[in-house]
Amino acid sequence: MMERVRLRDLGITIGALPTGEHNAITDVPGVLVGHATVIADEPRVARTGVTVIVPREGIWSDNVFGGYCSFNGNGEMTGVHWLEESGMIDSAIGISNTHAIGVVRDTIVAHAVAHGQIGGFLLPIAAETYDGWLSDIDAFHITPAHVFAALAAARGGPVAEGNIGGGTGMICYGFKGGIGTSSRVVSTKSGVFTVGALVQANYGARADLRVDGVPVGLEIGLDKVPAREEVPAPPPPGDAGSIIVVLATDAPLLPVPCKRLARRAIVGLARAGGVGYNGSGDIFLAFATGNHLPPGAGAPLDVKMLPHGQIDDLFVAAADAVEEAIINALCAAETMTGFRGRTVHALPLDELRRVMARYRPDTERF
Amino acid sequence: MMERVRLRDLGITIGALPTGEHNAITDVPGVLVGHATVIADEPRVARTGVTVIVPREGIWSDNVFGGYCSFNGNGEMTGVHWLEESGMIDSAIGISNTHAIGVVRDTIVAHAVAHGQIGGFLLPIAAETYDGWLSDIDAFHITPAHVFAALAAARGGPVAEGNIGGGTGMICYGFKGGIGTSSRVVSTKSGVFTVGALVQANYGARADLRVDGVPVGLEIGLDKVPAREEVPAPPPPGDAGSIIVVLATDAPLLPVPCKRLARRAIVGLARAGGVGYNGSGDIFLAFATGNHLPPGAGAPLDVKMLPHGQIDDLFVAAADAVEEAIINALCAAETMTGFRGRTVHALPLDELRRVMARYRPDTERF
Amino acid sequence: MMERVRLRDLGITIGALPTGEHNAITDVPGVLVGHATVIADEPRVARTGVTVIVPREGIWSDNVFGGYCSFNGNGEMTGVHWLEESGMIDSAIGISNTHAIGVVRDTIVAHAVAHGQIGGFLLPIAAETYDGWLSDIDAFHITPAHVFAALAAARGGPVAEGNIGGGTGMICYGFKGGIGTSSRVVSTKSGVFTVGALVQANYGARADLRVDGVPVGLEIGLDKVPAREEVPAPPPPGDAGSIIVVLATDAPLLPVPCKRLARRAIVGLARAGGVGYNGSGDIFLAFATGNHLPPGAGAPLDVKMLPHGQIDDLFVAAADAVEEAIINALCAAETMTGFRGRTVHALPLDELRRVMARYRPDTERF
Amino acid sequence: MMERVRLRDLGITIGALPTGEHNAITDVPGVLVGHATVIADEPRVARTGVTVIVPREGIWSDNVFGGYCSFNGNGEMTGVHWLEESGMIDSAIGISNTHAIGVVRDTIVAHAVAHGQIGGFLLPIAAETYDGWLSDIDAFHITPAHVFAALAAARGGPVAEGNIGGGTGMICYGFKGGIGTSSRVVSTKSGVFTVGALVQANYGARADLRVDGVPVGLEIGLDKVPAREEVPAPPPPGDAGSIIVVLATDAPLLPVPCKRLARRAIVGLARAGGVGYNGSGDIFLAFATGNHLPPGAGAPLDVKMLPHGQIDDLFVAAADAVEEAIINALCAAETMTGFRGRTVHALPLDELRRVMARYRPDTERF
């Protein structure tokens, strides 16, 4: 099998907009990403972790606008009541496994307390997808130390993808899933802005997978690469799975436009084959760093607002970046064996390239 | 029976904040109110009308931020999808009877077309309460001419209350209801702002009415003043009825804070005895003129944002102004006889004063 | 150019589920559709109309559960407050042009009044898309007579598509758009159910159009078929446009699952290339006839509830039916010349077939 | 000072409906409440705890319908995405301090795991108010053991109020607050139902407090009983504080009516003087045990639905029970000294009785 590369390394692009430097959420200036990965076989099998996104350094004293969208709420994202009410985010965002969302959330508070930054109150955003197939999730592996480690590791630049951080044990379209990222650069009358996406992809039935419209999941069906292998018995079929999306932009979006941007994650998800099955927690967050919002201001804040009429390219960018981030997660993730000897296979990239070539005529588009 | 006066003329105040000059929504600079009243006995009985609120002169080219809240949605307010999506209001707001909401809405568009102001698209806000007890609502009395008349009549200064405009045929707590208004002035670190409320009050059971906490509805019960009289048979008891609230402020509120302000109308409603019965359409709108928003801007708009930490007094002002506006509607509305010979009695102000005196000890508060 | 046929007549299918008998929303037993088309050149140019969907005969006395979703709210759908609050629909649903939504809404009330069916109160659902390019929309062409005519024409069986009813003057992806419909049949543990979709499609940029994942809009670009022709000047580019979707099913869905079903229209829209541009009113309605809900019941109603775990295939069906209904609208609509001599071209079906063949390898899938 | 009693023991009633046997949320058959209280001075000061509400025994295998309302979202309630999507609750509900919401949430999962009840996935509801004035909240006192203890203690019958469980360190209107409860019994055409409320009350400025409409907070002002005492310095003024409300009923409410019921908590809150200040997390939950909902059903579930037209008395019951539960919390809570030597005084019940007598004339109402 060929080595893991990103989707664009295979000559496949999503949409017409250019990417940022790293084709990552960190292309939005100031955004930091950190991972802590927990892999162990003893005493109980762990294939899990934590990923954090810091909207910008100094987030405690320089908040950002944000908004969210729940496409199918069979999942958890904490902190949304205040996000909806205030339109602001004032701390790091954490993503982990389902049973760890509480410890991740509380530890983001503890981290702020430890840094003397908290004035009594913080309502962090923590989200999850379920990794109980490959990881013994009922062992409650994640501890505050892992969350502190992910926060300490947060930085800009290239972002590791696949089996890392919160994405470690995830499964997507019956292939190994995990963390993926992508970005787009858009030019508007109000300036040039970047939109970045980071996903923790853990959803979908094999037959649904599409890459740039091509029915890859039908072509690399379960007869070619089984969705999940275990010893001795096959898993019951199920619609379980989820996807968390975090979108970032440096455009001056007010809170409601952030929510609108988050909603466009549905477009990227749908184009990649997602339907939002009943068992899926498809919850999407967007934040915008284009304004500076010190808490406790005594006078009206001066904020910039991108006119609504200029937002379309950001919508396209969000949809494209989410679609590519999902496929990047599949491209980066490697075959993993975990809990109870179960194996989940990586998306075979040579097969992917072969299928794409069959479905794309020889034009300048491909 | 004593002549109709406003609540404060009876020596009764709601809350501690001062009112604006006219104790009316028009105390918010630039806000205009216009009424068209339709009263006729032939060929079919009409006790209805239209009230319009113009957020500011030139609203087509200088939009305002806004938001809404549906406390109990057994009613109609058009235009809310775009309000929710854009956070903006770009035209006059109309209030009328239930069957007329379409013609009011379409005519606000036609009025803009007639003034050459429309660039192809307008999604106006029109709201309603049901006046079918006193007016033959199935006659569809309201025509475009009435809406044009109300728009032409829109002006600042004192606002007529009671049996006027959209409030003409309304019933509230089994007394004659209608249009009411009130305002408050608040001082914040960011400056002095006005909050104004206008209500079309048409809801509630007699026993529920409270004035500044005093159970006036129990004291002036149905044995003293019947809720509704008709010849020959009494009406079936029912929970039908609704209240539309429009809140205005000149504070620089972004869209979500407008929605928060609108939600505080529930507080004023609840203190006046409202419960939000199943049959009630209790839908509340708020807009803020503190920013100037020309449509079609080519560059980022500079907007001011009141810090969240300074909004509490505006919340108090909204609750107090709504509570007083409701009672003002009751104080202004006069006994009316209409459809099928039915009569609805005015709130007897001498009784109101007597009850308040019994329940309020002799302190500086009263 | 070849004659207009439906997408399946070209050998192109969307998804794997079978369709109902007519591949139309009327495959859901009891659902009726009626059109009134208004085409005139004098005194002012009309290319408009009204389409009504009746959830079932006798809807006034046997309500259905329903829910809605606003993906991008630059449009209007009345009646949603009570829909959200009650989860029920008790009258016909109307779709027309933007300026006519009021008259459509009021006339649905008047129609009920004329049939003696109304107990004082009705809050109908009326929705719109903008046809001002081909029709002189500011002439306010639609009258109550048109709405009565559409209601009188409502029936089951095959549904006319394209330039008809509310879809008469619509434009989609720079081709002639309009009304389209499709259906799917799904088998669940709880029985076999039908999901039907009807769309009024009036949105999208040419380059975005995809058919079953194939970038048809790029291949049949504006160089081949101009989006819009007028004499003498070309139109300004714009993102205006909208899509209304109505989904119906006979599955026993409670109100919230109806809302979930409506949300899956986004998936179908996205797969067809929709992004939900700022100027688009993308508002989606779903209703379920699987329960019988007489108004004014005195005892608890017995209702059936499809277990959440069985809803996935209905989600797939909704997404597939919406995607196909959109393309059916394009396939059915014919080239039209209207207001100011403007022409909008039909999707060339021979080109469509040619492009699909290029992009689809010779497998059993196609 | 007189001993602590419940509001009704003072001869003060709220509304006209009768209470259930214990005037508590546990009057709804099957509802269980458990507290774990954490009070310590060493090594760090703890005045905190956990309260759990179990919708019914065997909740894992017999779910209930539910819904929620965020009146002012400066707080946290987990589990709401799935609650909104499914309309169901399938586990215990926890309430604690702000920093403990994660551990409470995760431990409700761990408790289910420990009992072998979980099929891989649980998204519990945990909510909070902030007790950092009387408790050293940054010490993160709450551990899984406390949550297990509260769950083990859950039972029906009388419910302890005031300084107990999650309410231990709470402050309300500048008096000592905490846990309060109340219930109402309503008769409908569909049968007799109970509505119960439990609050964790931790909000409000002294001047705002009203009891049955009487301005108690103005009469027992800060000059009479200081809101908060500390050595040596007074606290900064602030609007911090929150209230969590849990409503239960045995009426057969579907999910959306549960949400409507939750919304009526605003009415009770407003009548007691609440405004929903910016710093307040006012999030309200309601569930209905009137249907039995086994997870994983293979056939359509038979459910009962209370007709909308019969819900009004439940709305009144919810408002009244919430209002009384708040005052019950104040009546039960005792003066407490905690973190940094700060003291918060109990509501003086003799003063309360004195004020009520002054404001209520000698009628049969009082």
Side-chain angles (χ1 to χ4, degrees), chain C:
Chain C
M1 186 183 276
M2 53 181 290
E3 66 167 334
R4 311 312 292 172
V5 297
R6 305 188 79 189
L7 182 65
R8 282 177 186 253
D9 298 326
L10 300 174
I12 306 167
T13 59
I14 302 293
L17 292 168
T19 71
E21 179 183 0
H22 302 293
N23 192 15
I25 193 172
T26 48
D27 291 330
V28 178
V31 174
L32 314 177
V33 174
H35 301 295
T37 304
V38 186
I39 295 183
D41 292 332
E42 298 292 339
R44 295 174 69 168
V45 174
R47 302 285 186 274
T48 192
V50 182
T51 294
V52 300
I53 298 102
V54 183
R56 65 176 148 217
E57 279 197 89
I59 181 68
W60 293 314
S61 55
D62 185 7
N63 304 162
V64 297
F65 283 131
Y68 84 103
C69 160
S70 175
F71 176 54
N72 194 66
N74 206 334
E76 181 65 89
M77 179 183 281
T78 66
V80 297
H81 303 285
W82 184 230
L83 177 60
E84 184 78 9
E85 192 79 39
S86 71
M88 291 186 190
I89 299 175
D90 59 2
S91 62
I93 299 151
I95 319 177
S96 186
N97 78 64
T98 309
H99 288 10
I101 199 166
V103 66
V104 171
R105 181 236 172 255
D106 287 358
T107 306
I108 292 172
V109 177
H111 177 259
V113 169
H115 286 73
Q117 291 291 343
I118 185 170
F121 208 75
L122 207 66
L123 297 165
I125 296 170
E128 55 69 49
T129 64
Y130 185 82
D131 57 15
W133 187 258
L134 285 171
S135 188
D136 183 0
I137 190 170
D138 292 346
F140 292 82
H141 292 289
I142 301 295
T143 67
H146 298 125
V147 184
F148 271 91
L151 287 162
R155 54 183 48 85
V159 174
E161 297 172 297
N163 302 351
I164 192 158
T168 301
M170 302 301 161
I171 304 169
C172 188
Y173 294 110
F175 294 113
K176 186 66 190 66
I179 299 291
T181 191
S182 185
S183 71
R184 294 294 184 277
V185 177
V186 297
S187 294
T188 74
K189 289 184 192 170
S190 296
V192 175
F193 303 114
T194 299
V195 175
L198 183 145
V199 305
Q200 182 165 302
N202 187 50
Y203 72 96
R206 173 69 56 85
D208 296 335
L209 174 60
R210 286 187 173 247
V211 176
D212 193 29
V214 172
V216 169
L218 290 175
E219 293 286 345
I220 315 178
L222 299 174
D223 53 326
K224 295 204 179 166
V225 181
R228 301 171 178 193
E229 287 181 38
E230 70 174 331
V231 181
D239 61 8
S242 298
I243 177 168
I244 298 296
V245 175
V246 178
L247 284 160
T249 184
D250 53 355
L253 300 188
L254 295 190
V256 175
C258 286
K259 190 189 296 193
R260 300 176 81 188
L261 198 71
R263 212 178 289 140
R264 268 62 193 181
I266 309 174
V267 175
L269 175 69
R271 292 196 309 218
V275 177
Y277 288 133
N278 175 64
S280 205
D282 301 351
I283 311 181
F284 312 140
L285 179 73
F287 62 82
T289 64
N291 282 293
H292 294 274
L293 307 167
L301 295 164
D302 289 304
V303 302
K304 298 280 183 186
M305 171 187 168
L306 188 78
H308 292 328
Q310 298 180 31
I311 206 169
D312 283 352
D313 281 350
L314 279 85
F315 286 171
V316 172
D320 287 355
V322 168
E323 185 178 353
E324 185 164 330
I326 292 168
I327 311 301
N328 273 341
L330 290 167
C331 288
E334 301 187 325
T335 297
M336 176 177 278
T337 298
F339 189 42
R340 297 185 178 168
R342 294 160 175 160
T343 294
V344 176
H345 296 275
L347 172 67
L349 298 183
D350 41 7
E351 281 291 306
L352 172 61
R353 198 157 52 177
R354 185 187 60 76
V355 173
M356 295 301 290
R358 283 186 66 219
Y359 274 81
R360 286 291 176 259
D362 190 10
T363 72
E364 69 276 22
R365 286 197 64 255
F366 194 73

Side-chain angles (χ1 to χ4, degrees), chain B residues 212 239 264 276 278 312 363, chain D residues 210 239 264 276 278 312 358:
Chain B
D212 194 28
D239 62 8
R264 268 62 193 181
N278 176 64
D312 283 351
T363 72
Chain D
R210 286 185 174 249
D239 61 8
R264 268 61 193 181
N278 176 64
D312 283 351
R358 282 185 67 219

Side-chain angles (χ1 to χ4, degrees), chain A residues 66-85:
Chain A
Y68 85 102
C69 160
S70 174
F71 176 54
N72 193 66
N74 205 335
E76 181 64 270
M77 179 182 281
T78 67
V80 297
H81 303 285
W82 183 230
L83 176 61
E84 185 78 8
E85 192 79 39

Side-chain angles (χ1 to χ4, degrees), chain B residues 121-140:
Chain B
F121 208 75
L122 207 65
L123 297 164
I125 295 170
E128 55 70 47
T129 64
Y130 184 82
D131 57 13
W133 187 257
L134 286 171
S135 189
D136 183 359
I137 190 170
D138 291 346
F140 292 83

Side-chain angles (χ1 to χ4, degrees), chain B residues 71-72 210 212-213 215 218 239 260 263-264 266 275-278 308 312 315 358-361 363 365, chain D residues 71-72 210 212-213 215 218 239 260 263-264 275-278 308 312 315 358-361 363 365:
Chain B
F71 175 54
N72 194 66
R210 287 187 173 247
D212 194 28
L218 290 175
D239 62 8
R260 299 177 80 188
R263 214 178 287 143
R264 268 62 193 181
I266 308 174
V275 177
Y277 287 132
N278 176 64
H308 292 328
D312 283 351
F315 286 170
R358 283 185 66 220
Y359 274 81
R360 285 290 176 261
T363 72
R365 288 196 65 253
Chain D
F71 176 54
N72 195 66
R210 286 185 174 249
D212 193 28
L218 290 173
D239 61 8
R260 299 176 80 189
R263 213 180 288 140
R264 268 61 193 181
V275 177
Y277 288 131
N278 176 64
H308 292 328
D312 283 351
F315 286 172
R358 282 185 67 219
Y359 274 82
R360 285 291 177 258
T363 72
R365 287 197 63 257

Side-chain angles (χ1 to χ4, degrees), chain B residues 12-284:
Chain B
I12 305 166
T13 58
I14 302 293
L17 293 168
T19 71
E21 179 182 0
H22 302 294
N23 191 16
I25 194 173
T26 47
D27 291 330
V28 178
V31 174
L32 313 177
V33 174
H35 299 296
T37 303
V38 185
I39 294 182
D41 292 331
E42 297 292 339
R44 294 174 71 168
V45 175
R47 302 285 186 274
T48 192
V50 182
T51 293
V52 300
I53 298 103
V54 183
R56 65 177 149 217
E57 279 197 87
I59 181 68
W60 293 315
S61 55
D62 185 6
N63 304 162
V64 297
F65 283 131
Y68 84 103
C69 160
S70 175
F71 175 54
N72 194 66
N74 205 334
E76 182 63 270
M77 179 182 280
T78 66
V80 297
H81 303 284
W82 183 230
L83 176 60
E84 184 78 9
E85 191 80 37
S86 70
M88 292 187 189
I89 299 173
D90 59 3
S91 63
I93 298 151
I95 319 179
S96 186
N97 77 64
T98 309
H99 288 8
I101 200 167
V103 65
V104 171
R105 180 237 173 254
D106 287 358
T107 307
I108 293 173
V109 177
H111 177 258
V113 169
H115 286 73
Q117 291 291 343
I118 185 171
F121 208 75
L122 207 65
L123 297 164
I125 295 170
E128 55 70 47
T129 64
Y130 184 82
D131 57 13
W133 187 257
L134 286 171
S135 189
D136 183 359
I137 190 170
D138 291 346
F140 292 83
H141 292 290
I142 301 296
T143 67
H146 298 126
V147 185
F148 271 91
L151 287 162
R155 53 184 47 84
V159 173
E161 297 171 297
N163 302 351
I164 192 159
T168 301
M170 301 301 161
I171 304 169
C172 189
Y173 295 110
F175 295 113
K176 186 68 190 65
I179 298 290
T181 190
S182 185
S183 71
R184 294 294 183 277
V185 177
V186 297
S187 293
T188 74
K189 289 183 190 169
S190 295
V192 175
F193 302 114
T194 299
V195 175
L198 183 143
V199 305
Q200 182 165 304
N202 188 51
Y203 73 96
R206 175 69 57 83
D208 295 336
L209 173 61
R210 287 187 173 247
V211 177
D212 194 28
V214 173
V216 170
L218 290 175
E219 294 285 346
I220 316 179
L222 299 175
D223 53 327
K224 295 203 180 168
V225 182
R228 302 171 177 193
E229 287 180 37
E230 68 174 332
V231 181
D239 62 8
S242 299
I243 176 168
I244 297 296
V245 175
V246 178
L247 285 159
T249 184
D250 53 354
L253 300 188
L254 295 190
V256 175
C258 287
K259 190 189 297 193
R260 299 177 80 188
L261 198 71
R263 214 178 287 143
R264 268 62 193 181
I266 308 174
V267 175
L269 175 68
R271 293 196 310 219
V275 177
Y277 287 132
N278 176 64
S280 205
D282 302 350
I283 312 180
F284 312 139

